[in-house]
């Protein structure tokens, strides 16, 4: 039941951070060739709340997903990673968005 409520809330909120794209729903994220450096502080598997707690991390999330952390539903999904969130986004979080976010997160030491 909690999962159904979570998914419904996320679907309602997804357009707020979709950056105006009409892309088709994305397939599950493939393994990326650009693996984060071992000394990187964050990656796509880091819980959102941990990234947002860091000033530089928060800036990366706001850059790639403007308005996401301001959503009332953020409290429901902040404990999961972007990789875990993508399948629930109805295609609003694309592989391209994740790749760009991963690149910027990898630069945070």
């Amino acid at each position: 039941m909690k999962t159904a409520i979570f998914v419904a809330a996320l679907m309602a909120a997804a357009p707020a951070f979709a950056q105006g794209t009409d892309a088709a729903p994305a397939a599950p994220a493939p393994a990326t060739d650009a693996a984060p450096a071992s000394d990187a502080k964050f990656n796509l598997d880091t819980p959102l709340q941990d990234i947002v707690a860091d000033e530089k991390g928060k800036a990366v999330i706001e850059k790639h997903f403007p308005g996401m952390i301001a959503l009332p539903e953020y409290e429901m999904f902040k404990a999961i990673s972007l990789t875990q969130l993508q399948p629930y986004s109805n295609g609003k979080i694309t592989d391209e968005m994740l790749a760009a976010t991963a690149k910027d997160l990898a630069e945070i030491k």
Side-chain angles (χ1 to χ4, degrees):
M1 178 75 172
K2 275 186 164 181
T3 303
I5 294 169
F6 166 75
V7 172
L10 183 59
M11 298 322 295
F17 58 86
Q19 297 182 341
T21 181
D22 289 329
T32 115
D33 294 335
S38 61
D39 60 343
K41 191 172 183 178
F42 305 115
N43 61 51
L44 295 178
D45 295 317
T46 304
L48 277 167
Q49 64 190 0
D50 295 347
I51 297 171
V52 173
D54 180 88
E55 187 176 318
K56 291 178 184 177
K58 182 177 180 178
V60 169
I61 297 302
E62 281 293 325
K63 173 183 174 184
H64 295 287
F65 306 98
M68 176 191 277
I69 60 176
L71 294 170
E73 296 84 5
Y74 173 73
E75 290 298 314
M76 294 173 55
F77 61 82
K78 69 181 184 179
I80 66 173
S81 70
L82 287 168
T83 302
Q84 293 169 315
L85 186 60
Q86 185 186 29
Y88 298 105
S89 74
N90 199 26
K92 302 296 183 182
I93 298 176
T94 65
D95 290 342
E96 293 78 17
M97 293 167 77
L98 289 181
T101 303
K103 181 179 181 285
D104 288 349
L105 288 175
E107 294 174 4
I108 301 172
K109 307 294 184 213

